[in-house]
Amino acid sequence: MKYEIYAKNCEVSEKLKAVTDKKLSKLDKYFKEDEPIVKVAFKKQGNFLTTEITLDYNGKFVRAEASGDNFYENIDVVLPKIEGQIRKHRTRFDKHNKNTAYSSALEFEGGNEAKGELVRKKVFALSPMTVKEAEEEMDAMGHSFYVFLEAKTHSVQVLYRRNDGDLGLIETEI
């Protein structure tokens, strides 16, 4: 596995890196040929310490996060979440080249955290997919919305989860 470790408002010790590496290596058993890219972000926000893990396996993403008093406990909480998502979406990972949602990796740019200002930018290429596939991607990433290119009409659409738990769809016209 390829690891990328980020820190925001804190410093990551060599011991924390070693523990993270050791615990993440347990996920190797789920991947055969291609190595996934794992991004681990350690963030300090006020009194909360948050650990976020995003796994990119050939354009398929799973993401989980945990907050607590220390990063070591957060790793123990977040890893079972990631492992559960990997098991849940195992078939999707095995068919990694069919119906990929992205053709390139996400690019993150940090910025100023003042309210109302742009603080993060994500750039990604869209591949055609159905609403059902977009729903699976959205659930796998743990987000409340998902932007995708609809397979039949080739229009950009936004799938989102409503407060009542149902789904909503925003279609665009040119």
Side-chain angles (χ1 to χ4, degrees), residues 53-88:
I53 297 177
T54 305
L55 187 139
D56 173 0
Y57 184 63
N58 292 331
K60 298 294 183 182
F61 296 91
V62 291
R63 182 188 157 281
E65 70 177 48
S67 295
D69 294 334
N70 70 57
F71 291 127
Y72 297 99
E73 289 176 6
N74 291 349
I75 292 171
D76 292 334
V77 172
V78 78
L79 277 176
K81 291 180 182 180
I82 285 285
E83 192 170 5
Q85 288 184 33
I86 291 170
R87 282 194 307 268
K88 179 180 175 184

Side-chain angles (χ1 to χ4, degrees), residues 35-55:
E35 288 186 349
I37 298 171
V38 180
K39 295 181 182 179
V40 182
F42 296 102
K43 303 174 188 174
K44 181 177 180 185
Q45 299 168 337
N47 292 332
F48 292 103
L49 301 175
T50 303
T51 303
E52 178 182 307
I53 297 177
T54 305
L55 187 139

Side-chain angles (χ1 to χ4, degrees), residues 1-63:
M1 261 186 223
K2 297 176 186 173
Y3 304 105
E4 297 177 12
I5 296 178
Y6 302 97
K8 183 175 181 181
N9 298 330
C10 63
E11 290 192 26
V12 180
S13 67
E14 290 301 318
K15 181 181 176 186
L16 181 58
K17 288 180 183 179
V19 168
T20 302
D21 182 45
K22 180 180 176 185
K23 293 194 178 200
L24 286 174
S25 68
K26 295 177 183 178
L27 299 178
D28 283 336
K29 64 185 175 186
Y30 294 106
F31 306 99
K32 297 174 185 165
E33 300 161 5
D34 299 324
E35 288 186 349
I37 298 171
V38 180
K39 295 181 182 179
V40 182
F42 296 102
K43 303 174 188 174
K44 181 177 180 185
Q45 299 168 337
N47 292 332
F48 292 103
L49 301 175
T50 303
T51 303
E52 178 182 307
I53 297 177
T54 305
L55 187 139
D56 173 0
Y57 184 63
N58 292 331
K60 298 294 183 182
F61 296 91
V62 291
R63 182 188 157 281

Side-chain angles (χ1 to χ4, degrees), residues 111-153:
N112 190 349
E113 293 188 15
K115 187 172 177 123
E117 293 184 29
L118 180 65
V119 295
R120 178 182 267 178
K121 178 181 173 183
K122 293 184 181 183
V123 178
F124 56 94
L126 298 174
S127 295
M129 65 175 46
T130 65
V131 173
K132 184 66 176 168
E133 291 167 337
E135 179 184 2
E136 291 172 359
E137 287 287 325
M138 180 178 72
D139 290 340
M141 292 175 58
H143 289 177
S144 59
F145 71 94
Y146 191 78
V147 180
F148 67 102
L149 187 66
E150 206 283 324
K152 291 180 184 173
T153 63

Side-chain angles (χ1 to χ4, degrees), residues 148-160:
F148 67 102
L149 187 66
E150 206 283 324
K152 291 180 184 173
T153 63
H154 294 286
S155 65
V156 176
Q157 296 185 0
V158 179
L159 182 69
Y160 63 96

